[in-house]
């Protein structure tokens, strides 16, 4: 566990937001502190704070400068950030079904070639991983996961694709992703899931929360099609495990 | 129920309000009007709540027709030629379209976006408390996409209230766009001086997600990849080619390029209105100044109802029509001699 907590950097993002930066890198300990500050802030209900956006290494705190000024909020955040990191309560664990390779994961073979192994081994490594939602961003439901096994880490594609399919499961650098909507991406596409991390007119609209634990399971193409149909009708096809 | 029918409309026109708040942590961007002051002024004139949903009209012309009853509307923001079935109408006023009458608007002049508020608001189904269009996320009501000819907006029948005008403080057209430096200005060293000293232009390839800037190349000290962090309206990020992009209302909630500075809240709408190709400068202010301006801006927004005045004898009151041109540089809406129709090329460079 973290023994001494270094103070975060408090960076102005204009006159209505503060970036509380715990690290410049992708860093699991920093992400734990980001999520802890996010929880503390939610619990404290600081007047004037309107929303908080966790990322790998920082918490962006939006606020209303009519209600609280930069100096006052900075002091408050600095104090909260130095509290010991409380263990997350109610950690949820999701198992997300993935159809790997072929038309569903067009980069699987290339990734295997680059890492000098077989596609089956890449799938085994990906499924073996124990992931956590480090942040959600870019487009609705796009979940960035920490915990990618070291033997799957490789640089992003040189040429990002302008469009990758909804439900794409991909890896890039030290990150793994569960993508909801079709979007541009420079990551390597391993497969697809029928799970919608964002779906209007469903309760909940957003399935994953920052801090949730995630693992993957293998399904075949036929199962994917069935799950996709069920998910489209509003069913949550991810499995919620007790943790 | 009356309705306003979109007879013609150009790209980059959509229903917008103050946007969605509270779901950026799930990757859902705020959206909302590019120019909050103009939106609020239009709503004030129409007798609506300040940030009710209205039509944000992009740089091209548009026409709206009242059906199944009279519809009262109000027009603010970028100046344009406007007439209602032949009679001149002015920016910064409310106006009533009798059943079957059409409000015809020309190209935007000296700005990019105008706002047409409808008395009684726009009937729709809010998602996350907002009707604002966010086409990427499939959000927005009554249409989850930009407006198209033939769309119909159901609304309340016109109340028959006297028409009104609003006077907004004249913004100096050439005042610099003020920024607070950071959050990653330390990634740029001396290039921050170049950023602040140079003239910039907004590229014609800009849109509601981001305005691309044209000017000198801003070099990074340590390369252009940082680990993704959160963004705000007005974040000025600098990608690998050194040409900054100012993130606008439909921005992604996070981004992986260093952000040299952030446009201050009170100047964001004025920045959004700068036409493509027009030169402007940034100026750095400190946090205390920026927040004082933000509070002043909040007061201005909430005191807008005090600035609304009745127009007596609307059709005859030439002075009111002159005054009602809220953009200082706008030509009179009623003097045909000063009307200028922008060329197609000029209009294209104004497409956000």
């Amino acid at each position: 566990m973290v023994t001494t907590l270094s103070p975060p950097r408090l960076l102005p993002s204009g006159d209505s937001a503060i970036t509380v930066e715990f690290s410049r890198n992708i860093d699991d300990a920093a992400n734990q502190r980001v999520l802890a500050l996010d929880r503390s802030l939610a619990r404290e209900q600081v007047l004037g704070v309107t929303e908080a956006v966790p990322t790998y290494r920082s918490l962006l705190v939006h606020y209303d400068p009519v209600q609280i000024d930069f100096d006052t909020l900075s002091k408050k955040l600095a104090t909260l950030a130095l509290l010991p990191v409380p263990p997350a309560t109610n950690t949820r664990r999701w198992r997300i079904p993935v159809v790997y390779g072929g038309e569903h994961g067009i980069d699987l073979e290339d990734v295997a070639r680059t890492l000098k192994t077989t596609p089956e081994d890449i799938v085994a490594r990906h499924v073996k991983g124990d992931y956590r939602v480090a942040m959600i961003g870019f487009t609705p439901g796009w979940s960035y996961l920490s915990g990618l096994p070291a033997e799957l880490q490789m640089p992003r594609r040189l040429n990002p694709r302008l469009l990758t399919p909804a439900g794409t499961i991909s890896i890039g650098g030290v990150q793994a992703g569960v993508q909801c909507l079709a979007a541009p991406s420079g990551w390597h596409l391993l497969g697809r899931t029928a799970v919608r991390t964002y779906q209007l007119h469903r309760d909940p609209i957003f399935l994953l929360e920052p801090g949730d634990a995630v693992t993957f399971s293998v399904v075949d193409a036929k199962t994917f099609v069935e799950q996709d149909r069920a998910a489209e009708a509003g069913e949550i096809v991810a499995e919620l495990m007790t943790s | 129920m009356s309705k306003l029918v979109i007879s013609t409309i150009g790209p980059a026109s959509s229903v917008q309000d103050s946007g969605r708040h509270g779901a950026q942590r799930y990757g859902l961007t705020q959206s909302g009007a590019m120019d909050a002051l103009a939106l609020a002024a239009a709503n004030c004139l129409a007798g609506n709540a300040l940030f009710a949903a209205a039509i944000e009209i992009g740089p091209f012309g548009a026409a709206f027709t009242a059906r199944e009853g009279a519809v009262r509307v109000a027009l603010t923001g970028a100046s344009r030629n406007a007439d209602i079935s032949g009679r001149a109408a002015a920016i910064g006023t409310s106006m009533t379209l009798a059943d079957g009458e059409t409000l015809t608007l020309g190209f935007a002049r000296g700005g990019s976006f105008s706002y047409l508020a409808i008395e009684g608001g726009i009937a729709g189904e809010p998602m996350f408390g907002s009707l604002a269009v966010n086409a990427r996320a499939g959000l927005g009501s009554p249409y989850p996409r930009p407006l198209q000819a033939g769309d119909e907006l159901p609304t309340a029948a016109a109340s028959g209230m006297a028409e009104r005008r609003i006077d907004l403080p004249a913004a100096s057209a050439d005042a610099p766009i003020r920024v607070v430096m950071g959050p990653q200005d330390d990634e740029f060293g001396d290039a921050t001086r170049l950023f602040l000293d140079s003239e910039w232009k907004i590229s014609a390839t800009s849109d509601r997600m981001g305005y691309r800037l044209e000017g000198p190349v801003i070099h990074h000290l340590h390369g252009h990849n940082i680990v993704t962090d959160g963004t705000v309206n007005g974040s000025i990020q600098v990608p690998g080619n050194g040409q900054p992009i100012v993130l606008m209302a439909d921005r992604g909630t996070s981004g992986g390029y260093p952000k040299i500075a952030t446009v201050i809240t009170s100047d964001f709408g004025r920045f959004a209105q700068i036409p493509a190709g027009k030169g402007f400068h940034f100026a750095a202010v400190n946090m205390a100044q920026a927040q004082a301006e933000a509070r002043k801006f909040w007061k201005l927004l909430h005191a807008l109802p005090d600035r609304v005045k009745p127009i007596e004898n609307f059709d005859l009151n030439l002075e009111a029509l002159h005054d009602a041109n809220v953009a200082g540089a706008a030509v009179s809406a009623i003097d045909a001699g000063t009307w200028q129709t922008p060329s197609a090329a000029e209009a294209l460079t104004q497409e956000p």
Side-chain angles (χ1 to χ4, degrees):
Chain A
M1 275 317 290
V2 180
T3 47
T4 43
L5 293 175
S6 55
R9 298 206 303 159
L10 295 160
L11 307 171
S13 281
D15 52 44
S16 305
I18 298 177
T19 302
V20 186
E21 185 187 271
F22 291 94
S23 168
R24 291 183 184 228
N25 306 311
I26 293 181
D27 170 336
D28 200 49
N31 187 241
Q32 299 279 11
R33 291 186 66 191
V34 168
L35 297 176
L37 178 60
D38 181 45
R39 289 193 297 273
S40 304
L41 200 55
R43 202 170 44 231
E44 286 273 318
Q45 304 261 323
V46 180
L47 183 75
V49 169
T50 52
E51 58 185 302
V53 184
T55 70
Y56 277 106
R57 62 199 184 99
S58 61
L59 186 70
L60 180 65
V61 180
H62 293 266
Y63 66 99
D64 176 3
V66 175
Q67 297 187 63
I68 190 167
D69 65 31
F70 178 82
D71 291 340
T72 310
L73 182 55
S74 293
K75 283 193 195 97
K76 183 83 198 165
L77 292 170
T79 309
L80 287 177
L82 290 180
L83 295 176
V85 177
T89 50
N90 312 321
T91 299
R92 301 185 301 176
R93 176 173 291 278
W94 299 96
R95 189 152 66 193
I96 293 182
V98 180
V99 54
Y100 285 93
E103 60 175 304
H104 303 290
I106 56 177
D107 293 331
L108 181 64
E109 307 238 342
D110 274 349
V111 168
R113 255 192 304 277
T114 306
L115 297 178
K116 299 189 168 51
T117 183
T118 61
E120 293 72 27
D121 185 47
I122 296 297
V123 172
R125 292 177 190 184
H126 191 251
V127 168
K128 189 187 77 180
D130 186 12
Y131 305 89
R132 201 184 59 246
V133 179
M135 62 172 284
I136 303 171
F138 183 45
T139 60
W142 219 119
S143 305
Y144 295 75
L145 310 181
S146 61
L148 184 68
E151 65 268 25
L152 275 181
Q153 297 177 3
M154 56 187 280
R156 286 183 271 192
R157 286 171 54 85
L158 285 177
N159 298 307
R161 292 191 175 91
L162 291 176
L163 200 65
T164 58
T168 287
I169 300 295
S170 57
I171 57 173
V174 302
Q175 309 174 57
V178 180
Q179 174 181 333
C180 187
L181 305 178
S185 171
W187 292 15
H188 306 278
L189 318 186
L190 300 187
R192 282 183 76 192
T193 182
V195 173
R196 272 77 163 155
T197 54
Y198 162 69
Q199 193 172 23
L200 286 173
H201 311 295
R202 178 190 68 190
D203 184 20
I205 292 175
F206 294 101
L207 196 61
L208 304 183
E209 290 280 344
D212 283 359
V214 169
T215 52
F216 296 105
S217 63
V218 183
V219 294
D220 59 23
K222 183 166 164 287
T223 308
F224 168 75
V225 170
E226 289 161 7
Q227 289 180 332
D228 196 50
R229 206 173 295 131
E232 189 54 36
E235 196 180 311
I236 294 169
V237 293
E239 213 178 325
L240 183 57
M241 333 272 288
T242 46
S243 175
Chain B
M1 195 175 229
S2 301
K3 58 192 183 189
L4 192 67
V5 178
I6 318 295
S7 309
T8 62
I9 199 149
S13 302
S14 58
V15 169
Q16 295 294 337
D17 51 23
S18 57
R20 300 185 172 80
H21 301 272
Q24 292 191 68
R25 60 190 292 108
Y26 302 113
L28 183 62
T29 196
Q30 277 176 249
S31 303
M34 296 281 267
D35 182 348
L37 178 61
L39 170 73
N43 275 317
C44 258
L45 285 167
N48 298 338
L50 276 185
F51 295 110
I55 304 173
E56 181 176 271
I57 306 164
F60 291 86
F64 306 91
T65 305
R67 295 280 179 216
E68 294 168 30
V71 176
R72 188 158 168 265
V73 296
L75 183 65
T76 62
S79 188
R80 305 170 184 258
N81 298 339
D83 78 76
I84 300 168
S85 301
R87 63 182 197 275
I91 291 277
T93 69
S94 68
M95 53 198 87
T96 298
L97 312 181
D99 190 4
E101 278 191 326
T102 297
L103 169 66
T104 306
L105 302 177
F107 292 104
R109 286 193 307 258
S112 295
F113 296 102
S114 306
Y115 293 84
L116 189 75
I118 307 170
E119 184 184 46
I122 293 170
E125 182 200 351
M127 293 298 304
F128 303 96
S130 168
L131 299 183
V133 170
N134 172 351
R136 276 176 194 79
L139 292 171
S141 183
Y143 303 97
R145 53 160 173 76
L147 289 168
Q148 299 170 359
D151 287 351
E152 301 182 348
L153 302 176
T155 186
S159 64
M161 218 187 325
E163 304 304 347
R164 314 192 288 179
R165 63 187 175 95
I166 191 165
D167 295 326
L168 297 180
S172 161
D174 296 318
I177 298 299
R178 291 167 294 179
V179 297
V180 171
M181 298 310 292
Q184 283 102 23
D185 49 326
D186 57 351
E187 296 279 336
F188 296 94
D190 289 345
T192 55
R193 272 277 41 105
L194 185 63
F195 171 76
L196 291 171
D197 290 344
S198 302
E199 184 182 77
W200 295 96
K201 288 176 177 166
I202 292 166
S203 150
T205 57
S206 299
D207 60 18
R208 277 182 48 91
M209 275 188 92
Y211 279 12
R212 293 168 188 277
L213 302 186
E214 290 167 353
V217 171
I218 302 297
H219 288 288
H220 307 76
L221 290 179
H222 319 288
H224 62 269
N225 277 312
I226 61 167
V227 177
T228 297
D229 74 350
T231 66
V232 301
N233 281 354
S235 290
I236 306 173
Q237 63 173 24
V238 185
N241 65 6
Q243 294 288 277
I245 299 171
V246 185
L247 300 183
M248 304 303 286
D250 283 348
R251 71 195 148 78
T253 52
S254 57
Y257 297 117
K259 294 170 281 292
I260 190 168
T262 312
V263 176
I264 68 173
T265 303
S266 63
D267 285 7
F268 182 76
R270 189 162 62 85
F271 173 73
Q273 292 283 17
I274 296 178
K278 180 178 184 291
F280 68 95
H281 281 80
F282 290 108
V285 294
N286 66 34
M287 182 59 75
Q289 290 167 318
Q291 298 204 314
E293 288 300 318
R295 288 187 279 268
K296 231 160 77 184
F297 185 66
W298 187 89
K299 281 192 190 128
L300 170 64
L301 285 174
H302 288 84
L304 282 177
D306 302 340
R307 292 174 170 269
V308 173
K309 294 171 184 147
I311 305 177
E312 307 292 344
N313 303 320
F314 179 83
D315 289 326
L316 301 175
N317 192 338
L318 302 187
E319 198 184 341
L321 275 175
H322 277 283
D323 290 351
N325 279 309
V326 290
V331 296
S332 162
I334 56 159
D335 183 351
T338 61
W339 278 25
Q340 289 175 357
T341 308
S343 68
E346 188 186 340
L348 278 172
T349 62
Q350 287 182 342
E351 187 183 0

